Amino acid sequence: MFFDAAFWLPLAIMAPLTTALLLFLLPRRSGLLTVIGAAATIATVFLATLLVIQNGAARHTLGGWGAPLGIDLTADGLTVLMLALTAIVGAAITLYAHGYFTHPVHDATARTRYANFWPLWFFLWAALNALFLSGDVFNLYVTLELVSFAAVALTALAGKPAVLAAAMRYLLVGLLGSLFYLMGVVFLYGGFGVLDIAALGAVVTATPALAAAAALITVGLAMKTALFPLHFWLPPAHANATAPVSALLSALVIKGSFYILLRVWLGVLYPLGETIAPYLLMALGAAALLWGSLQAIRQTRLKLLVAYSTVAQIGYLFLLMPLLLAERNNLVALAGVVCFMLAHATAKASAFLSAGAIQLATGDDRLASLRGLMQIMPAPVAAFAMAGVSLVALPPSGGFVAKWFMLDATLASGYWVVALVIVAGGLMAAVYIMRVLAPLFRQVETVEARRVEHVPLSMNLSAFGLAVLAILLSFTGVYVLEILAIGAPWVTEAGL
Amino acid sequence: MSWENSLPLLIFLSSFAPGLVIFVLDEEQHTLRTVLNLFGAVAKLAMVGAMIVGLLEDKVYETRLPLLPGVDLVLRADPLSMLFITLSASLWMVTTLYAIGYLEHAPNRSRFFGFFSLCVSSTMGIALAGNPLTFLIFYEMLTICTYPLVVHRGTPQAMLGGRVYLIYTLTGGAVLLLAVVGLFVLAGPVEFTDGGALDAVAAGNADALRWLFLLFIGGLGVKAALVPLHGWLPRAMVAPAPVSALLHAVAVVKAGAFGIVRVIYDLYGVNLAHDLGVLDPLLIVACITVIVGSLFALNQDDLKKRLAYSTVSQVSYIIIGVATFGLLGSIGGLLHLVYQGIMKITLFFCAGNFAETLGIHKVSEMDGVGRRMPLTMAAFTIGAFGMIGAPPTVGFISKWFLGVGSLAAESGWVLAVLLTSSALNAAYFLPILHRGWFKPQQGEWPEEHSYGRLETHWMLLFPPAITGVLVILLGVFANMPTGLLQWVEILILREYRL
Amino acid sequence: MINASVLYALAGVVLFGMGVYAMIAYPHLLRKILGMNVMGVGVFMVFIAISYQGPEQRADPVPHALVITGIVVAVCATGLALALATQLHALTGSARIPADGEE
């Protein structure tokens, strides 16, 4: 039993969920509870991951009911990669948040409000794990909403009017998107009579119902993933939230809705792979990359710049859609997309965390005020620089591995224009990252005039650790490819 | 991993690890930083020495780590990499000494020496890279690590120079990335091999290979400062003198030139490149660069800028050598890869000494400097004569081979280019020597520092003295047994598969 | 051939469209939230309509279970949206989202 990955799947959801409930009930014990809860979640996730890598894909029938009536949790290579990513990034952000939210620069009311971070974050963690483990399209809807609710509440935590407005817009766009998705699910069920992804994959054909479902699902999820031109809600929400929340939103929450899009297209909507839809997504991805990068270059505030960088980098995720769908066993293209998610999550989280540390210490996030900070706070600066290397996708870094796979896949299939877009995106990223890094090298006349707040070790450690991880991911390409092959998403036999 | 197979990695780590440690040191931990720096430099030299001895006994040194599916991270010692690595390991040692003296009281030394070490580590990686991907990784790493050195002073000009540097080199890197991936898609995971590695795919892919060659040269040509991709180099002159010395002699510019050598000899193979007809266009570009660089140098009053344009010109001698199909020209090119480094580093050391000791930055301020700083001026003179190609300096040897090689390849016009260039070199170097030695001093020096009995700090004086003497000694004893010339001859015979 | 079930489904689609329009077009938050609920009702109606399997057979039970779940989710969403809207109103005195740039 313990050596069966299926045993651990529900526990990977239960551990953070129980912690979240306990944190609601016992807010005074949050220090201890978060440590135990995070440790338990990480332990279950890693057991599940190791067992899936060792024994292959796993499926857990909740309550023994089984599909089509019951709810199944499934875990293949892609699932465990996302679970592990969430666990690692989540652990770092948990560590960071302990330093950030209790920092003396916050007044007493703010700190009381921030206490709500803990239950909400563990709730989000549970929802994300549930999302990655969900095996049917309706269950994915529910988890999508759960993620969304937790994310909106976390965004609102900052309490300022601007952030409340951003959270409100985020919620409304999210609801719009998920109702589109739900309508698409209705069409899928109406057309094919099942909800389980594997079962659907076995019976789908290119009917009008499938096309309608594809349109609704894609629009809804593109909205939630902030694909250009539906990205307008993202920058204010990500930039105005508190730093740990910004990191969570950019690193993990965005990946949740994209994960659903990827799963549904690869597993269910693939008969439409030869239509114009994937090319449209590719074009929007390219537009997102170029437009988002231009906007990032134009920003004068650090966190807005990083947020627009997310808008740009989401574009990379969509660039390979035609490749993924035209040749459904294009593992290299899939590895490119997945490696990109891993690299972006670690690097972007680190970028937001280090930007947050700088903002907390200086009380200012204008780019102009970064001058000469390198001597004063070297740790966040170094973390941001290393994260930047990965975002620009220079070697050696996780971002480079993703870019390598993407270029390999596109050039091998003759999409050299896409390859050029990928390269151009990297160069534009270099421009906006240098807009942050260059002022740090500027000579300052009066070093001692800069008074900055103390940044706790926990914050520096987590931002730096994630940045180092973003660099070290450069050695993981081979393993990602192997893990992805485990029960690859296009395995269509129902019930595995 | 056996001792032999971990040696290339250890050579890389011998400057990488100290670099990382230096970053976290306090500004005031001067002694520890110096010890780390020198320990790394000495250890590296010792390992390189051991490796040369081993290679002569036909041992194989290869570190291999899995990186991407089908492509490993490969660090391997072969004759060509030994050429470059010996040069950079020895000159790094000298430059470290120089930099310690040069930056004795400057701010941010930990940052400087940290990136300095990473920069040299990247150069080691470039030298030892066994396949195009590994080469690319270290090539880009070099770009990143050099930026903080270029902008080290943090002044507006430094920031501007740094920005121009990054725009050029990152774009070049992106082009190189396309070339490397394109080659991977076309030919699979190829590794650098003596005589070329693409013979298997050459049939039927001639056009694709020509396009890829263009991308390779376009990407590498930025760092090698081929005209018209050279614009960053004069601007990067705002960096502190030891950085300029390293940039021009062993690191950035040389990495680009070395990359071109690698691509032609060990990736395409010189025979295949000749058959594809890609060498002649490259030769023309290199000749234009040689002339244009010299012409620009004529008008520069800023001493370091004049040296920078001189580098643009001189590095393309290497390219002329490798793009000339024939044994003699190739030998000349590879010799110049080493010789140019030693000569140019001497000149930059001297320029740094003038600036640091007397505040002289311009050629027009150099009147009579030879009497105030005779040793430095002597070293500068040797370097300048080397650049002109006068015997008995090393510059004469490489130019001789290049000239004879061009005649042997029946492209006499290249000889004309070489002669014109020598005349131009003389035209921009001799006036400096004339001012320094023969003109009387005009008024006060701009900013004079006194260093007791010596003309300048001993750590600043030794490095150019050593390299200046080398410029002559290596020239006089060029043909000694197991010397550089013989090493290069063996190497070239293997590249031509003779 | 239009039977009751198709009519029902079409009505659901129309409601969905009306909800989308309301969510996008009206600036007042309460209207947006109501629009979201109308959208939801539209989806649920289509869902119920497709559970019809002919006069002789029982309706498919699965959509009913899903709709109940959906209603629970929609109630949560409405609650959260209302809470945020009141909070926004309390802080800014307005129940609209300020356009970009006004913040």
Side-chain angles (χ1 to χ4, degrees):
Chain A
M1 183 171 76
F2 297 114
F3 295 105
D4 184 2
F7 173 79
W8 298 98
L9 300 186
L11 290 179
I13 303 170
M14 290 310 292
L17 191 61
T18 313
T19 314
L21 294 176
L22 287 175
L23 280 163
F24 269 122
L25 293 174
L26 307 164
R28 286 176 193 287
R29 296 267 176 276
S30 67
L32 183 66
L33 279 174
T34 50
V35 171
I36 295 175
T41 312
I42 293 166
T44 46
V45 163
F46 276 92
L47 276 172
T49 305
L50 288 178
L51 289 169
V52 165
I53 290 173
Q54 203 178 355
N55 304 333
R59 177 178 275 260
H60 181 98
T61 50
L62 279 178
W65 286 96
L69 213 54
I71 295 171
D72 285 359
L73 299 178
T74 58
D76 57 16
L78 178 58
T79 309
V80 295
L81 280 174
M82 298 307 289
L83 286 177
L85 172 72
T86 308
I88 291 169
V89 175
I93 294 176
T94 307
L95 180 65
Y96 182 92
H98 270 293
Y100 184 90
F101 287 122
T102 57
H103 198 279
V105 298
H106 306 303
D107 59 28
T109 33
R111 262 183 280 169
T112 320
R113 194 170 58 239
Y114 291 157
N116 292 323
F117 171 82
W118 295 110
L120 286 170
W121 152 229
F122 276 89
F123 185 56
L124 176 68
W125 199 344
L128 280 169
N129 283 357
L131 187 151
F132 295 131
L133 286 166
S134 287
D136 77 68
V137 285
F138 184 80
N139 208 21
L140 280 172
Y141 162 75
V142 177
T143 56
L144 186 66
E145 290 285 41
L146 294 180
V147 168
S148 188
F149 295 163
V152 168
L154 283 167
T155 311
L157 211 57
K160 296 169 297 184
V163 82
L164 283 181
M168 189 76 220
R169 193 186 292 130
Y170 183 18
L171 176 64
L172 290 173
V173 171
L175 288 171
L176 198 63
S178 45
L179 285 172
F180 265 85
Y181 174 83
L182 185 60
M183 195 58 147
V185 171
V186 174
F187 275 88
L188 280 182
Y189 189 75
F192 306 99
V194 274
L195 293 165
D196 189 81
I197 289 185
L200 268 172
V203 296
V204 281
T205 48
T207 59
L210 191 70
L216 287 162
I217 287 174
T218 310
V219 170
L221 291 174
M223 217 179 278
K224 296 205 82 135
T225 316
L227 174 63
F228 178 89
L230 303 170
H231 65 279
F232 55 91
W233 59 268
L234 184 147
H238 286 204
N240 285 321
T242 53
V245 175
S246 305
L248 285 174
L249 296 181
S250 257
L252 301 177
V253 173
I254 288 288
K255 307 293 183 303
S257 52
F258 179 76
Y259 171 86
I260 300 180
L261 191 83
L262 192 65
R263 274 266 181 234
V264 174
W265 266 100
L266 284 176
V268 180
L269 302 175
Y270 62 86
L272 304 171
E274 302 290 337
T275 62
I276 192 168
Y279 293 93
L280 200 63
L281 286 175
M282 178 179 83
L284 288 178
L289 184 53
L290 302 177
W291 171 257
S293 303
L294 274 180
Q295 291 302 314
I297 292 169
R298 288 183 48 216
Q299 297 308 312
T300 53
R301 286 184 173 271
L302 180 54
K303 281 183 77 186
L304 262 178
L305 183 148
V306 183
Y308 270 106
S309 154
T310 299
V311 172
Q313 306 240 317
I314 286 165
Y316 279 116
L317 295 172
F318 289 88
L319 276 177
L320 299 189
M321 275 295 166
L323 287 169
L324 288 171
L325 292 166
E327 313 162 44
R328 285 213 309 144
N329 54 359
N330 194 337
L331 254 185
V332 174
L334 186 67
V337 173
V338 173
C339 279
F340 186 82
M341 286 202 270
L342 305 180
H344 181 253
T346 44
K348 193 47 75 65
S350 174
F352 264 124
L353 295 183
S354 39
I358 292 172
Q359 191 180 16
L360 189 76
T362 62
D364 192 349
D365 86 328
R366 284 171 304 139
L367 292 182
S369 71
L370 291 173
R371 284 182 70 169
L373 275 186
M374 186 173 287
Q375 287 89 332
I376 307 169
M377 27 192 337
V381 167
F384 192 93
M386 284 196 287
V389 167
S390 184
L391 291 175
V392 179
L394 288 172
S397 72
F400 175 75
V401 173
K403 192 155 138 185
W404 172 271
F405 280 127
M406 287 187 177
L407 287 175
D408 184 5
T410 47
L411 287 178
S413 305
Y415 288 88
W416 56 272
V417 178
V418 180
L420 287 182
V421 171
I422 292 172
V423 170
L427 290 177
M428 288 167 87
V431 176
Y432 61 71
I433 292 295
M434 284 320 293
R435 296 227 330 132
V436 180
L437 291 183
L440 297 165
F441 285 95
R442 283 295 286 273
Q443 194 180 39
V444 275
E445 295 74 23
T446 49
V447 176
E448 55 277 32
R450 281 309 281 273
R451 298 264 311 155
V452 297
E453 297 286 339
H454 171 70
V455 176
L457 181 66
S458 61
M459 289 171 65
N460 281 339
L461 205 62
S462 49
F464 197 79
L466 279 176
V468 170
L469 191 65
I471 299 290
L472 288 182
L473 277 176
S474 49
F475 293 98
T476 55
V478 181
Y479 309 108
V480 169
L481 201 67
E482 278 174 15
I483 295 174
L484 271 181
I486 301 171
W490 44 80
V491 173
T492 49
E493 305 86 37
L496 292 163
Chain B
M1 210 185 278
S2 70
W3 158 246
E4 270 91 10
N5 287 342
S6 52
L7 198 55
L9 190 65
L10 286 175
I11 287 184
F12 172 76
L13 289 177
S14 67
S15 46
F16 189 76
L20 293 186
V21 177
I22 286 170
F23 274 122
V24 296
L25 290 186
D26 257 6
E27 272 311 299
E28 299 315 316
Q29 286 173 292
H30 186 76
T31 321
L32 182 53
R33 189 166 52 229
T34 308
V35 166
L36 273 173
N37 265 320
L38 292 179
F39 172 77
V42 171
K44 185 187 297 293
L45 261 183
M47 286 191 279
V48 169
M51 209 179 223
I52 293 179
V53 173
L55 271 188
L56 289 171
E57 294 166 5
D58 284 330
K59 282 192 183 146
V60 177
Y61 297 97
E62 183 181 85
T63 307
R64 200 174 266 278
L65 302 167
L67 187 66
L68 288 167
V71 202
D72 293 337
L73 185 84
V74 184
L75 293 173
R76 187 195 302 126
D78 62 16
L80 184 57
S81 57
M82 292 325 290
L83 199 67
F84 189 30
I85 210 167
T86 313
L87 173 77
S88 41
S90 348
L91 292 190
W92 181 45
M93 173 98 196
V94 183
T95 315
T96 304
L97 200 65
Y98 186 80
I100 293 169
Y102 190 88
L103 291 168
E104 200 162 30
H105 300 292
N108 300 326
R109 273 165 297 167
S110 283
R111 185 177 94 199
F112 180 89
F113 282 103
F115 281 112
F116 200 71
S117 298
L118 294 193
C119 191
V120 173
S121 317
S122 326
T123 311
M124 298 297 144
I126 288 174
L128 292 167
N131 60 18
L133 177 66
T134 313
F135 183 90
L136 173 76
I137 289 174
F138 290 111
Y139 190 79
E140 292 283 49
M141 198 172 137
L142 179 64
T143 305
I144 307 170
C145 299
T146 317
Y147 174 79
L149 299 177
V150 173
V151 300
H152 184 73
R153 292 192 203 277
T155 57
Q157 295 115 299
M159 301 312 296
L160 182 68
R163 192 194 308 168
V164 174
Y165 169 74
L166 269 193
I167 291 173
Y168 272 86
T169 47
L170 285 180
T171 314
V175 174
L176 186 65
L177 171 65
L178 277 179
V180 172
V181 182
L183 188 76
F184 179 72
V185 170
L186 183 75
V190 288
E191 308 212 330
F192 294 136
T193 319
D194 288 342
L198 297 182
D199 294 324
V201 292
N205 287 320
D207 276 331
L209 285 177
R210 285 193 193 101
W211 281 110
L212 283 175
F213 190 81
L214 182 69
L215 287 178
F216 270 115
I217 300 298
L220 296 164
V222 173
K223 280 208 177 124
L226 287 177
V227 171
L229 307 172
H230 66 284
W232 62 273
L233 188 56
R235 303 243 195 168
M237 281 303 91
V238 291
V243 176
S244 303
L246 205 66
L247 239 65
H248 284 252
V250 287
V252 178
V253 183
K254 206 45 81 62
F258 178 75
I260 293 179
V261 175
R262 267 283 194 230
V263 167
I264 293 180
Y265 285 164
D266 293 340
L267 197 56
Y268 278 71
V270 67
N271 294 314
L272 176 63
H274 183 64
D275 293 341
L276 289 171
V278 292
L279 290 182
D280 288 338
L282 181 62
L283 182 61
I284 293 170
V285 172
C287 284
I288 294 173
T289 307
V290 164
I291 300 290
V292 171
S294 304
L295 286 175
F296 273 117
L298 281 176
N299 294 324
Q300 304 299 325
D301 188 31
D302 186 310
L303 180 60
K304 279 177 81 184
K305 276 207 171 151
R306 190 174 287 198
L307 293 180
Y309 278 110
S310 157
T311 302
V312 172
S313 163
Q314 293 280 335
V315 166
S316 272
Y317 279 43
I318 303 167
I319 314 296
I320 288 185
V322 293
T324 309
F325 186 74
L327 296 176
L328 294 169
S330 303
I331 291 172
L334 286 191
L335 284 176
H336 204 65
L337 183 88
V338 177
Y339 292 160
Q340 186 269 350
I342 305 171
M343 297 187 292
K344 198 30 96 36
I345 211 163
T346 312
L347 291 171
F348 269 108
F349 284 154
C350 295
N353 284 359
F354 295 141
E356 199 59 4
T357 319
L358 304 176
I360 291 175
H361 295 97
K362 294 186 171 160
V363 176
S364 53
E365 296 165 343
M366 289 181 68
D367 292 0
V369 76
R371 242 155 290 159
R372 169 67 176 78
M373 303 178 69
L375 289 175
T376 305
M377 194 62 205
F380 189 91
T381 308
I382 295 172
F385 275 117
M387 284 294 171
I388 297 167
T393 63
V394 287
F396 171 71
I397 316 247
S398 47
K399 274 203 184 171
W400 173 265
F401 275 101
L402 287 173
V404 176
S406 65
L407 287 180
E410 293 178 354
S411 34
W413 58 276
V414 176
L415 184 63
V417 168
L418 293 172
L419 290 174
T420 317
S421 159
S422 291
L424 288 169
N425 291 347
Y428 63 78
F429 271 124
L430 292 182
I432 303 179
L433 303 184
H434 177 249
R435 276 174 185 274
W437 290 120
F438 301 113
K439 281 205 177 176
Q441 182 183 347
Q442 294 174 335
E444 293 285 299
W445 300 115
E447 200 189 334
E448 186 167 357
H449 300 276
S450 179
Y451 292 91
R453 288 206 344 252
L454 289 171
E455 62 188 57
T456 183
H457 193 288
W458 68 271
M459 275 182 156
L460 299 184
L461 193 54
F462 264 45
I466 295 169
T467 53
V469 169
L470 270 181
V471 170
I472 304 233
L473 280 185
L474 287 179
V476 174
F477 298 106
N479 205 14
M480 67 181 175
T482 71
L484 182 64
L485 183 55
Q486 298 196 344
W487 187 269
V488 170
E489 278 170 6
I490 297 168
L491 171 61
I492 290 296
L493 287 174
R494 282 168 67 169
E495 299 296 357
Y496 279 83
R497 296 191 178 139
L498 293 173
Chain C
M1 181 206 86
I2 289 191
N3 59 27
S5 132
V6 173
L7 198 64
Y8 212 66
L10 283 178
V13 171
V14 171
L15 278 179
F16 182 81
M18 286 164 64
V20 172
Y21 176 78
M23 277 191 88
I24 294 170
Y26 294 121
H28 198 283
L29 285 177
L30 209 52
R31 284 176 185 246
K32 281 184 189 284
I33 294 167
L34 284 174
M36 183 269 290
N37 276 284
V38 172
M39 258 180 98
V41 169
V43 178
F44 300 148
M45 276 180 68
V46 181
F47 229 153
I48 297 295
I50 61 169
S51 71
Y52 179 73
Q53 294 176 324
E56 308 302 313
Q57 284 161 294
R58 277 181 303 166
D60 182 359
V62 172
H64 293 80
L66 301 185
V67 166
I68 289 174
T69 317
I71 289 173
V72 174
V73 173
V75 168
C76 297
T78 313
L80 181 57
L82 287 174
L84 266 178
T86 10
Q87 189 72 9
L88 196 63
H89 185 255
L91 279 177
T92 64
S94 143
R96 286 150 202 260
I97 295 180
D100 283 328
E102 292 178 33
E103 284 160 21

